[in-house]
Amino acid sequence: MIRTAKILVPSLAVVWVSMFIATHLPPAQLPATHVSDKTAHYIAYAALAILLHFVLRIRGMNWWRGAILTLVVCAIYGAFDELTQPPVKRTADIMDWVANMKGAASGTAVALLICGLISLSRKKTEKPELVSDA
């Protein structure tokens, strides 16, 4: 568990900071990509949601609270991200926020699926306790 935290927490920080930097570069400084803007938003927020949900889970949060908090944090951060782009000559776009939320919802669903599969695999490997007749 500690090894996992040592990987997930810095990974979450790197992804989050990278997202902020990428969305606050002036348009002229953005690299050309062959991915649509909405697809990029979707993928970035899916990755953010997966990592955030895993970090919340390893910190002891149960699955449903972790899922709700992940979606709320992604929604608030996505809105903040869009609203802070105009000073760098980028456009705040509600459809970008919608793509963010679609990605966050998909990422949260993937994280829940992975956590569920891990939980099932752990249950299968646990040995049942012997019951005595005493």
Side-chain angles (χ1 to χ4, degrees):
M1 182 89 83
I2 292 172
R3 287 186 306 178
T4 304
K6 285 182 179 182
I7 294 168
L8 287 175
V9 173
S11 297
L12 174 61
V14 167
V15 165
W16 214 327
V17 169
S18 298
M19 286 172 57
F20 182 82
I21 291 169
T23 59
H24 288 82
L25 288 173
Q29 293 181 353
L30 292 174
T33 64
H34 299 292
V35 176
S36 78
D37 176 54
K38 302 305 180 260
T39 301
H41 280 264
Y42 179 91
I43 292 169
Y45 275 80
L48 179 66
I50 290 169
L51 289 168
L52 179 58
H53 186 79
F54 286 163
V55 167
L56 293 172
R57 291 297 303 272
I58 64 172
R59 301 282 181 179
M61 192 168 287
N62 68 29
W63 69 269
W64 64 271
R65 283 189 181 167
I68 291 169
L69 186 56
T70 296
L71 292 171
V72 168
V73 167
C74 286
I76 292 169
Y77 178 69
F80 169 81
D81 185 51
E82 288 302 317
L83 294 173
T84 58
Q85 290 179 22
V88 293
K89 307 218 183 320
R90 301 214 22 198
T91 305
D93 182 1
I94 189 72
M95 295 313 293
D96 284 349
W97 184 82
V98 169
N100 297 344
M101 292 311 302
K102 288 178 179 180
S106 297
T108 302
V110 167
L112 288 169
L113 178 64
I114 292 168
C115 288
L117 292 172
I118 290 169
S119 178
L120 280 174
S121 113
R122 284 184 182 157
K123 285 181 182 177
K124 286 183 179 180
T125 59
E126 290 175 4
K127 294 181 180 178
E129 292 184 30
L130 297 176
V131 179
S132 66
D133 291 335

